[in-house]
Amino acid sequence: MSTMRITKRGSGTVLLLIALLLTAVLAGCGSDTEATTTTATVTNTTGTTAETTTESTGGPATGTPYKIGLLTTLSGPVAFLGKDIADTSQMEVDKINAEGGVDGHPIELVVEDDGMDPGKAVAALTKLAQDKDVLAITGLTITALEPAVRPVAEREKVPFVILSPTLPDLRARGDKYVFNISANEMNNAYSIIQILKAKGVTKAVGITANAPLSVVTLDEIKKQAEAEGITFSILPDAIDTNAVDVTPQVTKLKELVEKEGAQVVVSTVWPTQVGSMVKTLRQLGSEVPVVTDAVAADNSFLAMGGDEINGISMPGVKTLVVDALADSDPQKPVVLAFRDRYQAKFNMIPGAMAAGAYDELQIIVNALKVSGPDRDKLRDALEQTTDYVGAIGVFSYTPTDHEGVAVGNFALLDIKNKAFELVK
Amino acid sequence: MGAETFLQTLIAGLIVGSVYGLVALGYVTIYRSSGVVNFAQGAFAMLGALITMYLTNIRHLAYLPAALTAVAITTAVGLAVYVLVIARLRTEYVISQIMATLGVSMLLEGVVLVLWGGYPQTLPPFTTNEPFRLWGVSVAPQGVWVMLMAGVVLSGLYLVNNRTMFGKKMTAAATDPMAASLVGISRGAMISWSFLISAAIGATAGLFLAAMVPMNYASGSAFGLKGFVAAVLGGWGKSAGAVVGGLVLGVVETFGASVLPAGYKDAVSFLLLLVILYYRPTGVLGSSLVESD
């Protein structure tokens, strides 16, 4: 009996020692991995590129790295979007470092996964923010995460330049450290009204998805439409973001269109349901053209339906049609250079996510060149950004306006033969 | 709601319900032979759709050969799931095997994400998209195909189970594995066949689904769950129950989406499940496999 007890106690102590040893070894290995990552990011073997840049010190960056955090979604249903952001950001960081970084300091990207979960996002953001070497954080794929993460950035006083669009009531908080890259619902609505005016529309019917951003966007479209003298009725029924069959709502939509004598349907339905909605509309015998919002403007949308998506119009990021842009458009050279670089590396046309990732990084780096490695000075420099020509649009921030993108940033697109074209 | 709208909604519900029924049939077929609830059924549907997309978009095959190849490949995957995973979990706890199917589902989703990325895509319908008018409502040919397919699969399964020697063997192996092996029926072989059949049915369901809504690697789980609900609703363990359950679920869901605000649609489906299970736990058609008091 007593022998057994001693043995048990003995084995317990041994196990504890082993556990402690393992933890120590793993912690040691962990920091080794980090060191390796640092060296890998700093080294560049490609040499300077031949592209013209605004500032090039003529050689690769070799000073102490400036860290920029990237909080994005690398797991879960939208992992592919987050991966696009991460890959584009790394591509741009490598380019910036090859051209001399920021005053000789290379940029080091520190990537964290939020898994589309607010709890995880808060933990990841806190971890990034509490690393004093991280000067700014960027990324954020999903609007739904914002209520959780914005206060963290404010509390930790770290500049947070985010890609997801922000809903109006969150914007009204007047966060001092959070900056938006994405064009918000007012930009979206402005460009949709431009499309309606180009097509001579006087009466429209709107349909939305049951997501807050979609509802807010459609309400803003209605407001701006009526200010331009366009009659606009919104269908009370929304299309669920997970809907497989949209027949009930589309039947009611068709009835409303006929009752109002509407010339177009304006939709803020989620891109995955737009094709189905248009197909059902046509099957029910309605030929009414559909205008959807900028969220759908991506080459991946062209694969989400058959021939029924021809004829849909929408505002979209200029990367999709850059070759057709007027030479007088100040964005054209920037968008063209980015599009060519992205396409050479990833063999795809960049969409709004990639364009946003590019702009986020550029804006931070431009401000860093002015402010140096200090978070508050960086925040002030960001607020001084004026008329920065990016891929998404032309950005100007002020201490009271952290929204950035000037209206009219979108190209107006028609889908013809399953490709994007400029609206004539 | 006018008569026309009612009919239109009903037909839409039957179409969606037929797809749910096909997924549910997969669950039932595997359960009857092995007692395992295969939660990778949704992943089989996803594989059928995504492999077809790969073959048509990247390899530029015509739709029909691509679809047949995709169903064949998914069938092989189904067999591999049994042989490599389920059969090796020689345990009396069937719950372990059920958990393993969840793991398989995640694995398949991960592989597809890595191989083909995440952007959702659709597949073209079987035939042209021109709808025809029937009693004032518009019916797409694709919808007719789906309902036909569900009917064909159900009758096929019935005929195989009841009129062929093979079907009798499967039923025997499911009812009394010991006695069956005593007369030379291999339980392992019968379960392998059931996985093969279920994977093929699941892949076919996926082909129909992808013509209705864009799908990506993550689309399988939602439909898998709906299929499971349909199978339980209709009478757990009965093939006819699976199809009836699917149709009921599809119709109730579609009518729910029509009269309630969007987003409540799923609530309606699960509420229906709760009600049926409370008052009639054996499901709509009754099930001998479920205890009821």
Side-chain angles (χ1 to χ4, degrees), chain A residues 207-230:
Chain A
I207 182 169
T208 180
N210 62 338
L213 187 60
S214 309
V215 173
V216 157
T217 308
L218 194 63
D219 287 341
E220 179 65 25
I221 294 171
K222 178 176 159 99
K223 197 168 106 190
Q224 291 194 18
E226 286 172 347
E228 293 286 333
I230 300 176

Side-chain angles (χ1 to χ4, degrees), chain B residues 132-259:
Chain B
F132 46 91
R133 313 283 299 181
L134 201 65
W135 304 306
V137 294
S138 167
V139 183
Q142 182 73 357
V144 178
W145 282 118
V146 181
M147 290 193 277
L148 261 176
M149 181 62 82
V152 162
V153 171
L154 180 62
S155 344
L157 280 177
Y158 174 80
L159 287 171
V160 164
N161 270 330
N162 292 32
R163 300 258 191 262
T164 65
M165 192 55 170
F166 173 74
K168 299 279 186 198
K169 283 191 195 177
M170 280 192 77
T171 317
T175 318
D176 194 337
M178 176 79 89
S181 59
L182 281 175
V183 295
I185 300 174
S186 155
R187 185 160 186 260
M190 290 301 118
I191 302 182
S192 306
W193 275 109
S194 73
F195 267 84
L196 271 169
I197 295 172
S198 290
I201 299 175
T204 317
L207 290 174
F208 285 108
L209 265 174
M212 289 162 65
V213 68
M215 286 178 74
N216 70 354
Y217 66 97
S219 309
S221 350
F223 296 116
L225 189 59
K226 289 271 169 71
F228 177 65
V229 169
V232 173
L233 196 60
W236 182 241
K238 282 193 170 176
S239 304
V243 174
V244 167
L247 291 174
V248 168
L249 184 64
V251 169
V252 169
E253 212 180 65
T254 313
F255 273 103
S258 175
V259 301

Side-chain angles (χ1 to χ4, degrees), chain A residues 316-331:
Chain A
V317 63
K318 285 181 176 168
T319 49
L320 299 172
V321 285
V322 59
D323 301 299
L325 292 175
D327 288 331
S328 56
D329 187 333
Q331 280 186 268

Side-chain angles (χ1 to χ4, degrees), chain A residues 76-81 84 210 237-240 242-245 247-249 251-252 255 272 276 279 283-284 300 303-305, chain B residues 5 8-9 12 16 113 117-122 129 131 133 138 140 209 211-214 216-218 223 254 257-258 262-263 265:
Chain A
V78 293
F80 58 101
L81 290 176
D84 193 11
N210 62 338
D237 298 70
I239 292 187
D240 185 52
N242 292 320
V244 174
D245 173 75
T247 314
Q249 291 85 4
T251 315
K252 293 185 190 167
E255 284 167 8
T272 36
S276 186
K279 188 161 70 177
Q283 281 172 0
L284 292 176
S300 62
M304 287 202 211
Chain B
T5 317
Q8 190 79 57
T9 314
V16 158
L113 169 61
Y119 287 102
Q121 293 176 59
T122 54
N129 236 343
R133 313 283 299 181
S138 167
L209 265 174
M212 289 162 65
V213 68
N216 70 354
Y217 66 97
F223 296 116
T254 313
S258 175
K265 175 190 65 160

Side-chain angles (χ1 to χ4, degrees), chain A residues 253-404:
Chain A
L253 177 67
K254 174 167 172 269
E255 284 167 8
L256 186 61
V257 165
E258 284 163 2
K259 183 172 137 226
E260 298 284 327
Q263 296 144 320
V264 293
V265 164
V266 176
S267 131
T268 53
V269 172
W270 265 27
T272 36
Q273 270 76 36
V274 171
S276 186
M277 175 182 79
V278 176
K279 188 161 70 177
T280 313
L281 256 180
R282 305 289 175 250
Q283 281 172 0
L284 292 176
S286 172
E287 293 301 321
V288 66
V290 173
V291 176
T292 185
D293 73 297
V295 175
D298 193 273
N299 271 322
S300 62
F301 178 74
L302 301 173
M304 287 202 211
D307 292 324
E308 67 271 3
I309 64 171
N310 286 328
I312 298 181
S313 309
M314 66 184 81
V317 63
K318 285 181 176 168
T319 49
L320 299 172
V321 285
V322 59
D323 301 299
L325 292 175
D327 288 331
S328 56
D329 187 333
Q331 280 186 268
K332 186 168 179 177
V334 174
V335 178
L336 196 55
F338 173 65
R339 196 275 315 264
D340 290 341
R341 204 160 57 236
Y342 185 95
Q343 194 165 23
K345 179 147 184 170
F346 300 113
N347 206 17
M348 282 195 309
I349 307 273
M353 283 284 162
Y358 165 66
D359 282 339
E360 295 185 307
L361 215 49
Q362 279 298 134
I363 288 176
I364 293 177
V365 163
N366 288 351
L368 258 180
K369 288 180 180 166
V370 168
S371 73
D374 176 280
R375 284 181 179 179
D376 282 317
K377 292 208 184 107
L378 177 57
R379 194 272 313 270
D380 293 337
L382 282 169
E383 284 176 345
Q384 303 301 320
T385 310
T386 310
D387 291 335
Y388 162 70
V389 179
I392 296 239
V394 179
F395 291 86
S396 299
Y397 296 110
T398 69
T400 46
D401 176 19
H402 282 200
E403 279 295 293

